Amino acid sequence: MTYADGFAYKKLSPVLRFILLSGAAWVLSTNVVLGTEVSSQTTRLDSQKRERTETSLFAQASTNTNSISNLKIIKVTNIKVNSTDKGLELILETSQGKQLQVTNNSDGNSFIADINNAQLGLNDGDRFTQEKPVAGITEITVINKDANTIRITVTGENGIPQAELFDSNQGLIFGFKPAVTSLNQAPAATEEKPEQTPTSQQNEDVIELIVTAQKTPENLQDVPISITVLDRDQLESADVRSFDDVAKNTPNFSVFGSGTNRLSPFYSVRGISNFNAFSRDGVGIYVDDVPYDLGAFLNLGFNDLERVEILRGPQNTLYGRSSLGGVINVVTRKPTNEFELKNSISYGNYDTFKAQTSISGPLVEDKLFFRLSGDYTTRDGYVRNTFLDRDVDGGSGGNSRVKLLWTPSPDWEVSFNASFDDYREGAAPYVLLNQPDPSETELDFNGFTNIVNNAQSLKIAYDKPDFRFTSITTNRFSNQKAAYDSDATTADGEINAPDFTSKLFSQELRFQSPESADKLKWIFGGYFESSKFENNRPFIYGADSLALGFPFPAGENKVDVESDTKTYAVFSQVSYKPIERLTLTTGLRYESTNSKIDATETFTSTDGSLVIPLLSIQDVEKNGDALLPRFVAEYKLTPNLMTYGSISRGYRPAGASFQPISEDTAVFDAETSWNYEIGLKSSWLDNKLNVNLALFQNSVNNFQFPSISGGNVVIDNADINVTGAELEVRATPATGLDIIGGLGLVNSRFKNGNDIFTGQSLEDNRTTFSPDLTYNLAIQYRSLGGLFGRLELAGFGTTYFDDLNTIKQDPYALVNVRAGYEFKKYGIYLFANNIFNTEYVTQVFDGIAGRYGTYGAPSTYGVQFTSRF
């Protein structure tokens, strides 16, 4: 059995070869120092040690943006130093009394504070220095660290000066008290400590830095949404490289790939999945503002990440695209005003090699900046085809990204992002589940999976004292070509050869209140999206097809489907504080969609003597619109304890089937929901312990679900009910020790409906790809000496793979370990994933030869080396 396109997953595109060679060269160039790494994490004060960044994230998710932090440049117009009875105060005055966002760390005897989204605009230059302002402090310097950040360095004689932060209408005031050396304590300057990386920094006293009452950004604990944020420190410490890795650190978010292959992964958030067969996703997924959809194009690698944000529940009044289940927002690192270089290489079993690199710096100092990044991965397969003596899966590929940032003035910021992905892999490693060894199979055809993706976005932001305006324009092209042995035997039966193409263009406009707004905050926006999906899939039948039970003799059954969808939407949200502790929010969205579909299906025998037209559909259309309100009330019981409640309507538009079997099955109805949520967010022990809880109940009408039989997939609608809860805990019980945990419970069941092919009732059945339990735990330790260790546990409850609930995966848990040593600019780590080699299935279907599916990755281990300059 053959397939014309063949399989050449070992071949690598010139772009990816360039990235690999460049990354290897940069890793080896350890004698070239291009600059220091710019950290954009928002941190807590530390009083006694070397650099440690502990996140205290400021968020805007409850007010406006596609990312949690999206501020404009604030100009510092004057700096004053005044003596006090305790030491001194440092005053940074801002234009129009705007407030500033601060992060901090320390180095030796120096206290260092970075002020994000700010620049010096002094009359006498862009640098302020004062030597020996008071006894015990040797020097104060204030400089522009890069185009987005001011750095303050205050150096003490006998140790790190103690720092306090005060609110002021002038801007920002630091209070500094010199460190005092006791008779039994050596000066800090004489202590010898091993060099460590920025990620190996340590903190002792956790003090939250809160900007003044007129701020727009909010502490994550103040956002009235069930939200998980993985910052750069967590992403690097856990070596997060995919959506699957993100899910293992997030309650009520699960990803089920085609084993370890990139062919059509499924996911669910709070019981809402994308298992509606290439129709509109129930969750909004963004990578650098570009909306991604369709399972065939989601399983891409991650590189050079700044943070990943997972917002659970409908987010229709903040984002351009409607999202019934939630939003997953991936943000990569921004260009910098100083040159920096970062690399990572790793090698492990199954001959797995991974390389990542990024370089950033100014093209025009203080005005125009660039960032280039890329990664490359290659490995052998996890499943061996003993019949052909070849691996089924495995392969190679990677991505590259370029980012440009232009700041012509403090009011304007223009950013352009472009990415390219190219993966050449083996087939999805489907194996019959009744065989004893899941790492072996017998197939007469091995197959392949090729994915190419390119995306671009242009973001223009204009910030004035009375308003802010943002325009986001995006374009994306994705193509997946694959082929696999769908009879899962050595017989010459059937090859399924998906050929999917997706094109998407979107334009979003936002007009919103200024950052200084406090009592009243507002946003108005508009959104347009044009998307096109093409399914040009042949089913290739061999000589044994009729004997195996397939409906056709040797030949090709060619499916050609083209669907076009236009989306128009306007949205708004207003938040008002009638009293200081109470905030009331209301939002409204109107969305209109139009979908059209053309489809043909024709069988042609191998010799051409038999041609059978099976389907012809032209200009079938489906329209829909909806009003989507949102109401939120949040109340601060204490400064560290907030409770909230929300009511919102969710919406997944009506659409066109990716592969109809008749005109009646060509389109399906819109999915709507009413969502009720209450939550509690709390901080304890000087912010060393954060505990967040959310309870939710969603009533979903016309839930879009597939019925599957004999390779045919039909989308239908039924009502479901979803209830559940999320608990998240983060603790820092001792210096260098972090404990992060999450628990998700969800009960998602059909209220009515029938399977299209069998007619069986689905009432009270569980929905597919929605575990009733998820939990995650990470225990991580970094010592002052540079030792690093991390232990991870990720668990999943019972999961069903079909609407009739006849196929399921029982509960299971995975354990990962990571340990290493971190120097100032280098790190070396040993890692092991799934250390107990737990067997679990990720997708299962009924086939001609029996039930077949894909298994998750087996136990893997290796070594990783990182460097940064």
Side-chain angles (χ1 to χ4, degrees):
M1 184 180 292
T2 62
Y3 180 63
D5 279 354
F7 172 35
Y9 69 81
K10 291 294 185 181
K11 296 181 180 178
L12 182 64
S13 71
V15 172
L16 294 178
R17 283 199 295 265
F18 170 76
I19 292 169
L20 175 60
L21 295 174
S22 300
W26 284 330
V27 169
L28 295 175
S29 300
T30 56
N31 294 324
V32 179
V33 178
L34 294 178
T36 58
E37 179 172 3
V38 178
S39 172
S40 63
Q41 298 171 347
T42 304
T43 64
R44 304 167 179 173
L45 284 172
D46 57 315
S47 62
Q48 299 182 24
K49 48 275 113 264
R50 303 184 57 86
E51 313 161 301
R52 156 82 165 139
T53 33
E54 181 67 39
T55 299
S56 175
L57 186 63
F58 295 92
Q60 280 189 336
S62 65
T63 57
N64 49 29
T65 70
N66 279 7
S67 71
I68 290 210
S69 180
N70 187 18
L71 307 179
K72 307 301 180 295
I73 301 299
I74 299 173
K75 182 179 291 186
V76 173
T77 57
N78 192 27
I79 297 176
K80 296 179 180 179
V81 177
N82 300 323
S83 298
T84 66
D85 56 350
K86 294 182 180 181
L88 63 83
E89 64 178 12
L90 176 68
I91 303 173
L92 278 68
E93 297 180 356
T94 61
S95 58
Q96 302 154 342
K98 288 192 175 182
Q99 307 304 327
L100 301 170
Q101 176 182 327
V102 182
T103 71
N104 73 279
N105 55 62
S106 60
D107 186 8
N109 284 0
S110 296
F111 171 89
I112 301 171
D114 287 343
I115 303 175
N116 300 324
N117 304 290
Q119 286 284 278
L120 291 177
L122 308 177
N123 293 329
D124 54 352
D126 58 359
R127 181 183 181 92
F128 175 89
T129 303
Q130 187 167 342
E131 296 182 356
K132 297 182 179 180
V134 296
I137 294 181
T138 59
E139 186 180 51
I140 297 175
T141 62
V142 185
I143 62 172
N144 284 329
K145 178 185 176 186
D146 55 45
N148 305 300
T149 311
I150 292 174
R151 167 159 288 186
I152 299 171
T153 304
V154 180
T155 304
E157 291 182 0
N158 301 315
I160 302 172
Q162 297 181 16
E164 295 179 285
L165 181 65
F166 301 96
D167 295 339
S168 170
N169 292 329
Q170 295 174 280
L172 196 66
I173 300 177
F174 285 93
F176 291 103
K177 179 181 178 182
V180 178
T181 303
S182 68
L183 294 177
N184 298 320
Q185 180 183 6
T190 65
E191 293 181 8
E192 294 185 3
K193 299 180 181 180
E195 291 185 332
Q196 301 170 33
T197 66
T199 56
S200 68
Q201 302 157 355
Q202 298 296 321
N203 80 316
E204 193 137 335
D205 297 326
V206 182
I207 301 173
E208 183 182 8
L209 293 176
I210 300 177
V211 190
T212 66
Q214 294 182 345
K215 59 184 173 63
T216 295
E218 296 177 282
N219 187 294
L220 183 61
Q221 293 300 102
D222 297 332
V223 179
I225 296 173
S226 180
I227 178 174
T228 298
V229 176
L230 304 180
D231 59 32
R232 194 198 313 172
D233 179 68
Q234 291 175 270
L235 294 167
E236 292 182 354
S237 297
D239 197 30
V240 172
R241 294 175 180 253
S242 66
F243 280 115
D244 188 33
D245 293 337
V246 172
K248 288 182 172 65
N249 290 274
T250 307
N252 277 341
F253 175 34
S254 305
V255 174
F256 301 88
S258 301
T260 56
N261 188 265
R262 300 180 193 274
L263 178 74
S264 302
F266 301 114
Y267 67 81
S268 67
V269 176
R270 284 187 172 180
I272 304 300
S273 75
N274 67 332
F275 193 47
N276 58 351
F278 301 102
S279 303
R280 177 72 171 264
D281 283 15
V283 173
I285 297 177
Y286 299 85
V287 180
D288 284 338
D289 297 318
V290 178
Y292 277 69
D293 60 355
L294 309 179
F297 313 121
L298 294 179
N299 203 0
L300 306 177
F302 288 167
N303 180 38
D304 205 30
L305 295 185
E306 179 63 33
R307 64 186 177 275
V308 179
E309 308 156 355
I310 304 94
L311 288 71
R312 291 173 286 267
Q315 308 296 326
N316 297 319
T317 59
L318 299 176
Y319 286 78
R321 208 172 205 229
S322 63
S323 53
L324 184 143
V327 165
I328 302 171
N329 191 34
V330 179
V331 182
T332 63
R333 295 189 60 191
K334 294 176 67 174
T336 59
N337 198 30
E338 294 182 0
F339 280 105
E340 64 174 45
L341 179 64
K342 180 182 174 185
N343 303 282
S344 169
I345 59 172
S346 65
Y347 183 78
N349 59 334
Y350 296 96
D351 201 22
T352 303
F353 174 78
K354 298 179 181 181
Q356 293 183 334
T357 188
S358 66
I359 184 171
S360 180
L363 295 173
V364 178
E365 190 170 354
D366 300 329
K367 293 294 183 181
L368 181 62
F369 323 96
F370 79 95
R371 188 172 198 93
L372 299 174
S373 62
D375 75 353
Y376 172 74
T377 300
T378 181
R379 70 163 175 84
D380 294 340
Y382 296 142
V383 177
R384 190 73 174 173
N385 183 351
T386 57
F387 184 75
L388 298 179
D389 195 25
R390 292 174 56 191
D391 289 344
V392 177
D393 54 333
S396 61
N399 67 47
S400 59
R401 185 179 303 274
V402 58
K403 305 185 77 170
L404 297 175
L405 175 63
W406 181 38
T407 55
S409 71
D411 295 337
W412 287 93
E413 182 175 291
V414 180
S415 58
F416 173 76
N417 303 326
S419 64
F420 177 75
D421 304 86
D422 190 350
Y423 297 94
R424 307 300 172 97
E425 300 181 332
Y430 292 112
V431 300
L432 294 173
L433 300 188
N434 58 6
Q435 64 185 47
D437 188 352
S439 66
E440 292 184 354
T441 188
E442 289 187 317
L443 308 171
D444 70 317
F445 175 74
N446 240 29
F448 64 93
T449 303
N450 296 341
I451 296 179
V452 174
N453 178 83
N454 69 77
Q456 304 82 37
S457 67
L458 176 65
K459 185 174 183 179
I460 303 174
Y462 182 57
D463 185 8
K464 296 298 286 183
D466 299 326
F467 68 89
R468 284 174 289 167
F469 175 79
T470 305
S471 169
I472 301 174
T473 307
T474 73
N475 179 72
R476 180 178 56 79
F477 169 86
S478 302
N479 175 258
Q480 180 189 92
K481 289 186 178 181
Y484 62 91
D485 191 336
S486 52
D487 60 80
T489 69
T490 58
D492 190 6
E494 180 191 65
I495 292 176
N496 188 339
D499 185 354
F500 303 142
T501 299
S502 173
K503 301 174 184 177
L504 183 145
F505 171 84
S506 71
Q507 175 64 57
E508 179 179 350
L509 301 174
R510 290 200 306 265
F511 185 64
Q512 61 196 103
S513 56
E515 296 171 13
S516 57
D518 176 36
K519 195 168 185 178
L520 178 65
K521 302 176 183 178
W522 48 268
I523 177 174
F524 298 95
Y527 182 74
F528 168 75
E529 178 182 295
S530 175
S531 62
K532 182 177 182 179
F533 177 75
E534 297 177 1
N535 172 13
N536 302 304
R537 168 157 57 176
F539 293 85
I540 303 169
Y541 296 96
D544 301 325
S545 60
L546 292 177
L548 289 174
F550 288 105
F552 298 105
E556 179 180 283
N557 182 21
K558 183 66 184 303
V559 175
D560 290 292
V561 180
E562 181 177 308
S563 61
D564 292 274
T565 301
K566 299 288 192 300
T567 301
Y568 305 86
V570 291
F571 56 93
S572 65
Q573 180 169 291
V574 178
S575 296
Y576 177 68
K577 277 187 177 182
I579 59 176
E580 183 60 30
R581 292 189 176 187
L582 176 65
T583 301
L584 302 176
T585 299
T586 183
L588 183 65
R589 177 190 186 89
Y590 174 75
E591 180 169 321
S592 174
T593 58
N594 170 264
S595 296
K596 296 180 180 179
I597 181 174
D598 298 324
T600 62
E601 183 176 355
T602 303
F603 172 79
T604 304
S605 62
T606 302
D607 59 8
S609 61
L610 181 63
V611 178
I612 306 176
L614 300 173
L615 179 69
S616 179
I617 297 174
Q618 301 296 323
D619 296 325
V620 175
E621 189 170 345
K622 185 73 172 180
N623 297 319
D625 63 351
L627 276 174
L628 309 173
R630 180 175 185 252
F631 308 96
V632 185
E634 57 177 296
Y635 187 78
K636 299 209 76 169
L637 300 171
T638 71
N640 296 316
L641 181 61
M642 183 265 282
T643 184
Y644 69 91
S646 67
I647 302 174
S648 57
R649 193 172 189 225
Y651 180 65
R652 179 155 38 176
S657 173
F658 89 111
Q659 190 170 310
I661 60 175
S662 65
E663 186 167 342
D664 293 339
T665 63
V667 293
F668 46 84
D669 293 332
E671 179 179 329
T672 60
S673 67
W674 280 104
N675 306 268
Y676 307 89
E677 180 176 329
I678 58 174
L680 185 72
K681 295 195 172 187
S682 62
S683 299
W684 311 87
L685 305 176
D686 293 328
N687 296 321
K688 293 182 179 179
L689 174 65
N690 291 337
V691 181
N692 298 336
L693 175 67
L695 307 175
F696 60 90
Q697 194 276 327
N698 305 335
S699 179
V700 183
N701 296 324
N702 287 329
F703 175 70
Q704 299 167 5
F705 73 97
S707 294
I708 303 175
S709 178
N712 294 314
V713 181
V714 175
I715 307 299
D716 201 5
N717 298 93
D719 299 334
I720 66 171
N721 190 66
V722 185
T723 58
E726 286 117 15
L727 173 67
E728 293 188 278
V729 178
R730 178 161 185 164
T732 306
T735 300
L737 178 62
D738 291 311
I739 301 174
I740 304 171
L743 174 67
L745 303 172
V746 66
N747 184 15
S748 178
R749 293 183 179 273
F750 283 95
K751 296 164 63 176
N752 53 44
N754 299 89
D755 182 85
I756 288 292
F757 296 103
T758 67
Q760 290 181 251
S761 173
L762 303 179
E763 184 177 355
D764 205 38
N765 281 8
R766 290 259 308 278
T767 60
T768 53
F769 293 97
S770 179
D772 57 359
L773 168 69
T774 60
Y775 55 91
N776 59 278
L777 176 65
I779 302 174
Q780 179 178 297
Y781 179 72
R782 279 189 168 96
S783 73
L784 286 170
L787 292 175
F788 169 81
R790 182 181 175 94
L791 176 66
E792 296 178 343
L793 172 68
F796 303 87
T798 302
T799 305
Y800 288 92
F801 298 112
D802 67 325
D803 57 1
L804 296 175
N805 285 188
T806 61
I807 312 173
K808 71 175 182 177
Q809 166 64 54
D810 292 327
Y812 66 95
L814 305 173
V815 179
N816 303 331
V817 176
R818 185 173 169 84
Y821 191 85
E822 297 171 330
F823 303 87
K824 185 175 182 179
K825 296 177 182 177
Y826 307 97
I828 186 167
Y829 309 89
L830 300 175
F831 61 86
N833 299 319
N834 190 8
I835 61 175
F836 298 111
N837 203 30
T838 301
E839 289 185 3
Y840 61 99
V841 291
T842 58
Q843 295 182 12
V844 182
F845 304 96
D846 283 321
I848 291 293
R851 190 162 288 174
Y852 66 94
T854 56
Y855 285 81
S859 179
T860 58
Y861 50 85
V863 61
Q864 182 186 38
F865 174 77
T866 64
S867 63
R868 62 187 74 205
F869 304 98

